[in-house]
Amino acid sequence: MIQIAAGTKVYPACRPVDMRRGFDGLSAEVVNTLNADPYSGHLFLFWAKRGGYLKALYWVRAAVQKPATVAAE
């Protein structure tokens, strides 16, 4: 479980992304689509095209949390 600091903004993706993207691809999506900094400490959520998976991108202190894939039940 990831604990999110108070004041952290959550940015859900409005359109699905390719789940084959890794950390670099998701970071590029944040920069190009939202004009935001992926290292800002905010939480970015990405949905799969089929809608059954979620990837989260979250900067934790001096390290980046690897993108986590969660299957929806």
Side-chain angles (χ1 to χ4, degrees), residues 11 15 21 23-40 44 46 57:
Y11 293 94
R15 60 180 181 191
R21 287 187 177 192
F23 171 72
D24 294 331
L26 295 175
S27 295
E29 187 74 23
V30 169
V31 171
N32 295 331
T33 305
L34 298 174
N35 295 324
D37 181 14
Y39 307 108
S40 62
F44 300 94
F46 300 93
L57 186 63

Side-chain angles (χ1 to χ4, degrees), residues 2-15:
I2 299 174
Q3 292 186 0
I4 300 173
T8 301
K9 294 180 182 178
V10 178
Y11 293 94
C14 294
R15 60 180 181 191

Side-chain angles (χ1 to χ4, degrees), residues 9 17 48 50:
K9 294 180 182 178
V17 297
R50 292 186 180 181

